[in-house]
Amino acid sequence: MNSSKMRRKVVPAAAENGESADKLDQLLLSSAICNGEDLGPFVRKAFASGKPETLLHHLRHFARSKESEIEEVCRAHYEDFITAVDDLRSLLSDVDSLKSSLSNSNSQLQSVAVPLLTSLDSFVEARNKCKNISLAIESLRTCVQLVELCSRANSHLSKNNFYMALKCVDSIEREFLDQTPSSTLRRMLEKQIPSIRSHIERRVNKDFGDWLVEIRVVSRNLGQLAIGQASAARQREEELRIKQRQAEEQSRLSLRDCVYALEEEEDDDGLDGLSDESRDGYNNGGTGMLGFDLTPLYRAYHIHQTLGFEDRFKQYYFENRKLQLTSDFQVSSMTPFLESHQTFFAQIAGFFIVEDRVLRTGGGLISKVEVENLWDTAVSKMCSVLEDQFSRMQTANHLLLIKDYVSLLGVTLRRYGYPIDALLDVLSKHRDKYHELLLSDCRKQISEALAADKLEQMYMKKEYEYSMNVLSFQLQISNIVPAFPYVAPFSSMVPDCCRIVRSFIEDSVSFMSYGGQLDFYNMVKKYLDRLLTEALDGALLKLIDTSITGATQAMQMAANMAVFERACDFFFRHAAQLSGIPLRMVERGRRQFPLTKASDKAEEMLSGLLKQKVDGFLMLIENVNWMADDPPQGGNEYANEVIIFLETLVSTAQQILPVPVLKRVMQDVLAHISEMVVGALLGESVKRFNINAIMGLDVDIRLLESFAENQAPLLSDADANQLKAGLAESRQLVNLLLSNHPENFLNPVIRERSYNALDYRKVVAISEKMRDQSDRLFGSFGTRGAKQNTKKKSLDQLIKRLKDVN
């Protein structure tokens, strides 16, 4: 139709030159209306200029211009309408003729079909009666089957066989509910079927609730049993290690080739049965030996699956178990954690052993992700509890007890695939605190052991005492068991401190063991070094400084330090053995004696006290006649007294002091004697002396040297020579003063060979005391005349040149 043509977009004609502004506004307004544009700008402009009448005039003009178009459209539609009316009139006549034809045909059909309809009605009535009879028979058959199913369902319900009862109910609902002919019976079934299902659900939920209550007790017992079995397995491993260490030690010490075979017992672990027995299904979901039955859980899960509530039951089970786990995390503030920690960790261990079984045999009741989330929550809480409890503990033994149980918990749950690194990290984090507390306890014990010691040799009456105090720490010098009673060369502090250190090593290794770190010997060795160098060495130094008052006590302390040196070797070997390190590796890297300060202090104290004793005898040197007419034949009095004291000292000291210690002490004492003899010549009390006095000193020194040489059977020839070397200064000074050529002292070669222990300043001072003597001084050399004058000149020349050097 013409009216359906698309509108053309009206474009305003270009305004001619001289056209008025009013005409232009009219054209712009017409163009905007035709194009469907917004008329707002025109309205605002009209009111802004104060001429709204002009806008209304333009709008009316536009409306009049469109009326002609509207009339053309109406005219075109009117012609079409006239044409349609003509078509309808022609059709009406055809319809009338068709109506007449149909009426005639209907009359003929009615007259023919009436007899047939009468016969059909009779047939239908007979057929309906037959169908009703068949339907009645079928209904009775259906009712009989329905009653049988109902009876079977009741029987299953009475026997608590809920699954079979549900199967019967499902069969009734699926096969008979819609086919039941009796509406009364159908209503009864529609009412009772949900009731039966609700009853079954309530009964199953009740059994499941009882199981939830029971499983908490079972979990605690199960956790305790599992951790106990892990502890027993660990004990067996320790026993095997002890046997292995004993075999290695015997093999190392024996000269014969020996073969050792360690028989390893089979690990008949009850928990292995726990992980195998329940794989047959939920009919017996647990192990009778452990009282671990999952049958109520799996029955409830199966029933809910049958009811179509599988997801709801899974969520219900997970939430309840999560609440139980949260309840297990509660630590009682009324009971010390040391007393409740085993129950706390056993409950959690049993919980996750149960969940591991449910995960593996529950048919999707709980997912691996859910178990992992529960475990992450449990690990986080256990770490938090351990951090809090460890921070409060101030006793090393308490930390060790809890650490051991936590490590057993980790070993137990690691068998089920649970990661325990976070727990091990907490234990490692508190390693330093544990050892600080352990060091503090050992310091107290060491102080008490040292305070109780009277610094007297131990007296052992029985062999077990010898084994307990000597052999157990490998302090024996010989493998031959001595006769009893036996007097040990050490006092009671040695075995007492050895027991403390050994206990420290065992506790340290126990804490470091089973902590996720395989090679922990270096850590144990570090803490052992601290114990020995800080605690034991410091306590010994304090004892030496404050309690040693006599040479006997000092000698006993020095003997103890020598025994401690052997004990320290045992300590590091013992630590290595407990840490699983081969002894050859420890023996290959020998360490410095960690008690060096105390050992040096003990020897220094012994030497000092012996020097004080010697000084008492050396005071007799004042009785020496420095201007004697003849040299003393048997030596001076002080020398004889010193020799008697030294011989007595050696006979006593060799019973307890090791040879190296005795040699060092005696050498120090002899060096002190030599120094005191030289000091006497330098002292102001000796204004001058003659050659006879020097010859007397020569006899004294020969006596002392003879004493040193006599120690060769006890020490060795080399050690005896070293003892003599302690007298080097006095010997070289006497040799110089008795020499016919004292000027040789100025020869560097000769001085290095024969006078290397002399200080030239002392030589000058002592030589001057002989310089002003009469010729008789030099007559005692047994030569006369020129020789005496030559020696006197040589000595004067020596003094002069030494002064020039000075």
Side-chain angles (χ1 to χ4, degrees):
M1 296 177 65
N2 295 334
S3 61
S4 63
K5 293 179 181 180
M6 293 181 62
R7 293 180 182 176
R8 292 183 297 108
K9 188 172 183 179
V10 179
V11 180
E16 298 178 357
N17 293 333
E19 187 177 1
S20 65
D22 187 49
K23 186 64 174 177
L24 179 61
D25 292 341
Q26 184 177 351
L27 290 175
L28 293 173
L29 180 62
S30 299
S31 176
I33 294 174
C34 292
N35 294 331
E37 298 176 358
D38 185 17
L39 300 182
F42 295 96
V43 176
R44 284 192 295 272
K45 181 179 178 183
F47 280 95
S49 61
K51 298 178 179 181
E53 296 81 3
T54 304
L55 176 63
L56 292 174
H57 173 70
H58 291 163
L59 292 174
R60 293 189 188 100
H61 182 271
F62 178 78
R64 286 194 299 272
S65 65
K66 295 297 180 180
E67 288 179 358
S68 59
E69 295 180 9
I70 295 172
E71 290 176 358
E72 291 178 1
V73 172
C74 291
R75 190 180 296 114
H77 288 177
Y78 175 75
E79 292 175 355
D80 294 338
F81 178 74
I82 295 299
T83 304
V85 171
D86 292 340
D87 294 338
L88 288 175
R89 286 178 179 176
S90 62
L91 183 63
L92 183 60
S93 61
D94 296 336
V95 170
D96 290 338
S97 62
L98 179 62
K99 180 178 179 183
S100 299
S101 177
L102 288 175
S103 178
N104 294 331
S105 299
N106 181 55
S107 299
Q108 294 176 1
L109 181 63
Q110 289 289 336
S111 62
V112 174
V114 167
L116 293 175
L117 287 174
T118 303
S119 301
L120 180 61
D121 290 340
S122 300
F123 172 74
V124 169
E125 183 179 359
R127 190 179 66 178
N128 287 339
K129 290 179 181 179
C130 181
K131 286 183 178 180
N132 289 337
I133 293 172
S134 300
L135 182 61
I137 294 173
E138 186 66 26
S139 297
L140 288 174
R141 185 180 294 112
T142 301
C143 289
V144 170
Q145 294 176 354
L146 179 60
V147 170
E148 288 179 353
L149 275 177
C150 290
S151 176
R152 196 181 306 164
N154 286 332
S155 176
H156 289 316
L157 284 174
S158 63
K159 296 177 182 179
N160 292 330
N161 194 352
F162 299 130
Y163 174 71
M164 295 306 299
L166 281 178
K167 297 299 289 184
C168 292
V169 170
D170 288 344
S171 180
I172 291 172
E173 186 177 32
R174 183 178 61 255
E175 299 176 5
F176 296 101
L177 184 61
D178 294 336
Q179 301 177 9
T180 301
S182 172
S183 60
T184 303
L185 187 58
R186 184 183 301 110
R187 286 194 299 270
M188 186 272 294
L189 291 176
E190 290 175 348
K191 179 180 179 182
Q192 292 300 323
I193 287 176
S195 299
I196 292 173
R197 287 175 173 164
S198 298
H199 170 73
I200 291 174
E201 184 178 3
R202 286 194 301 271
R203 286 291 305 275
V204 168
N205 285 338
K206 179 181 180 301
D207 293 344
F208 174 64
D210 295 340
W211 178 85
L212 284 175
V213 174
E214 180 184 358
I215 200 62
R216 295 197 68 186
V217 179
V218 171
S219 295
R220 181 169 59 251
N221 297 334
L222 180 62
Q224 291 174 344
L225 177 60
I227 293 175
Q229 290 174 345
S231 177
R234 179 180 293 182
Q235 184 64 32
R236 289 194 294 271
E237 291 177 2
E238 289 295 333
E239 292 173 357
L240 287 175
R241 289 195 185 98
I242 292 173
K243 292 179 181 178
Q244 183 178 5
R245 286 197 296 268
Q246 291 174 349
E248 290 177 352
E249 185 68 17
Q250 292 175 5
S251 177
R252 186 174 68 90
L253 297 177
S254 177
L255 298 177
R256 295 173 297 175
D257 294 333
C258 301
V259 178
Y260 298 91
L262 297 179
E263 296 181 0
E264 187 171 353
E265 299 178 1
E266 294 182 0
D267 187 8
D268 188 13
D269 201 338
L271 290 179
D272 292 339
L274 182 147
S275 59
D276 295 332
E277 189 170 324
S278 67
R279 295 176 183 172
D280 297 334
Y282 88 85
N283 289 331
N284 185 14
T287 300
M289 179 187 65
L290 298 173
F292 182 22
D293 187 12
L294 296 178
T295 301
L297 170 64
Y298 290 163
R299 180 188 295 120
Y301 180 47
H302 196 187
I303 294 301
H304 280 83
Q305 281 181 316
T306 306
L307 292 173
F309 302 146
E310 178 180 358
D311 293 337
R312 188 176 74 181
F313 183 77
K314 286 181 180 179
Q315 185 66 24
Y316 179 70
Y317 171 78
F318 180 75
E319 293 297 333
N320 275 275
R321 292 294 281 165
K322 187 175 181 180
L323 288 174
Q324 284 189 338
L325 182 61
T326 303
S327 176
D328 294 339
F329 291 153
Q330 303 301 319
V331 178
S332 175
S333 59
M334 304 299 295
T335 305
F337 188 69
L338 185 66
E339 300 178 7
S340 63
H341 74 280
Q342 293 189 2
T343 303
F344 175 78
F345 290 116
Q347 187 74 53
I348 295 175
F351 179 93
F352 284 99
I353 292 173
V354 172
E355 289 309 308
D356 175 74
R357 173 66 62 78
V358 174
L359 174 64
R360 290 187 290 106
T361 63
L365 174 57
I366 190 169
S367 67
K368 184 176 181 180
V369 174
E370 289 174 330
V371 175
E372 289 175 351
N373 291 336
L374 290 175
W375 175 246
D376 291 340
T377 302
V379 168
S380 176
K381 183 61 178 179
M382 286 189 289
C383 291
S384 175
V385 170
L386 287 174
E387 290 277 4
D388 178 60
Q389 296 297 330
F390 280 170
S391 64
R392 299 180 184 181
M393 290 183 180
Q394 299 301 321
T395 303
N397 189 44
H398 294 175
L399 264 76
L400 180 59
L401 289 174
I402 294 175
K403 177 267 168 189
D404 284 342
Y405 205 80
V406 172
S407 66
L408 289 172
L409 168 72
V411 170
T412 301
L413 293 180
R414 186 162 51 191
R415 297 177 56 191
Y416 295 90
Y418 295 105
I420 59 170
D421 293 340
L423 288 174
L424 300 181
D425 290 341
V426 174
L427 299 181
S428 298
K429 181 179 178 182
H430 290 81
R431 178 177 58 205
D432 289 338
K433 177 178 180 179
Y434 168 76
H435 283 92
E436 288 297 334
L437 294 175
L438 191 60
L439 283 169
S440 177
D441 292 343
C442 290
R443 284 191 182 96
K444 295 177 182 177
Q445 296 172 14
I446 289 172
S447 298
E448 293 172 357
L450 297 183
D453 188 14
K454 299 179 180 179
L455 289 175
E456 297 176 354
Q457 290 178 258
M458 285 193 70
Y459 185 76
M460 304 178 194
K461 297 180 179 180
K462 302 293 184 180
E463 185 175 354
Y464 79 89
E465 294 179 327
Y466 180 79
S467 175
M468 179 177 62
N469 294 311
V470 179
L471 295 181
S472 61
F473 307 112
Q474 299 179 9
L475 303 180
Q476 71 277 11
I477 301 176
S478 172
N479 292 328
I480 300 175
V481 178
F484 295 96
Y486 169 71
V487 180
F490 50 82
S491 63
S492 62
M493 73 165 63
V494 174
D496 290 343
C497 290
C498 286
R499 272 186 281 272
I500 295 170
V501 176
R502 183 177 62 183
S503 175
F504 175 88
I505 294 171
E506 292 170 353
D507 290 344
S508 178
V509 171
S510 179
F511 191 90
M512 301 294 292
S513 300
Y514 310 102
Q517 185 178 357
L518 297 179
D519 184 10
F520 51 83
Y521 171 67
N522 289 331
M523 297 300 300
V524 174
K525 184 172 65 174
K526 182 187 78 171
Y527 293 117
L528 178 57
D529 278 336
R530 286 192 58 191
L531 174 68
L532 296 176
T533 56
E534 296 179 12
L536 183 56
D537 198 34
L540 291 172
L541 283 172
K542 182 178 179 182
L543 177 68
I544 293 170
D545 289 334
T546 58
S547 302
I548 303 299
T549 56
T552 303
Q553 291 181 332
M555 188 178 300
Q556 185 62 66
M557 178 58 71
N560 289 348
M561 297 311 303
V563 179
F564 271 129
E565 188 168 1
R566 294 197 299 275
C568 287
D569 291 337
F570 162 76
F571 296 149
F572 288 103
R573 287 198 304 271
H574 189 57
Q577 285 181 328
L578 295 180
S579 304
I581 301 297
L583 289 179
R584 61 181 179 274
M585 296 182 63
V586 180
E587 293 172 351
R588 187 183 306 158
R590 288 289 183 179
R591 298 177 50 83
Q592 182 182 2
F593 181 39
L595 306 179
T596 303
K597 293 181 180 178
S599 179
D600 294 344
K601 185 68 174 178
E603 290 188 18
E604 180 184 347
M605 176 66 73
L606 176 59
S607 297
L609 292 173
L610 293 178
K611 289 174 186 179
Q612 291 179 9
K613 288 280 188 179
V614 169
D615 288 343
F617 298 114
L618 290 176
M619 291 179 63
L620 298 175
I621 204 171
E622 296 177 356
N623 299 332
V624 174
N625 185 2
W626 296 106
M627 298 298 294
D629 294 333
D630 295 307
Q633 297 301 317
N636 291 298
E637 181 184 5
Y638 78 90
N640 293 317
E641 293 293 336
V642 168
I643 294 297
I644 294 173
F645 170 73
L646 292 179
E647 290 176 346
T648 305
L649 171 65
V650 170
S651 64
T652 303
Q654 67 181 358
Q655 303 298 323
I656 60 174
L657 283 182
V659 171
V661 177
L662 179 58
K663 185 200 74 171
R664 288 194 296 269
V665 172
M666 293 304 301
Q667 187 173 357
D668 195 21
V669 172
L670 291 175
H672 175 71
I673 294 172
S674 177
E675 182 182 349
M676 292 298 292
V677 171
V678 175
L681 292 174
L682 281 171
E684 296 181 357
S685 61
V686 179
K687 303 298 183 179
R688 58 181 182 169
F689 56 85
N690 60 20
I691 198 66
N692 292 328
I694 299 302
M695 293 176 69
L697 292 180
D698 180 58
V699 174
D700 297 340
I701 295 172
R702 287 183 187 278
L703 290 174
L704 293 171
E705 289 175 339
S706 176
F707 164 78
E709 291 172 352
N710 291 336
Q711 307 309 314
L714 175 63
L715 306 177
S716 66
D717 292 338
D719 290 338
N721 291 331
Q722 288 185 8
L723 284 182
K724 287 177 61 177
L727 300 168
E729 184 180 15
S730 59
R731 166 48 63 197
Q732 292 178 9
L733 179 61
V734 170
N735 289 344
L736 177 62
L737 295 177
L738 295 178
S739 174
N740 291 325
H741 302 283
E743 70 276 3
N744 288 339
F745 181 76
L746 299 174
N747 187 322
V749 176
I750 297 177
R751 187 165 77 176
E752 181 64 26
R753 184 180 67 243
S754 302
Y755 306 109
N756 55 3
L758 294 179
D759 182 353
Y760 70 90
R761 288 182 293 270
K762 293 182 179 179
V763 172
V764 171
I766 293 173
S767 299
E768 284 185 340
K769 296 184 179 183
M770 290 185 65
R771 187 181 62 170
D772 295 333
Q773 302 302 316
S774 65
D775 292 343
R776 188 181 176 189
L777 172 66
F778 301 98
S780 61
F781 284 102
T783 59
R784 297 289 182 180
K787 289 185 179 181
Q788 293 177 354
N789 293 331
T790 301
K791 182 173 181 179
K792 179 175 176 59
K793 291 179 181 179
S794 298
L795 188 59
D796 292 340
Q797 184 180 2
L798 172 63
I799 295 172
K800 181 179 180 181
R801 293 184 63 180
L802 287 176
K803 286 185 175 181
D804 293 340
V805 172
N806 194 17

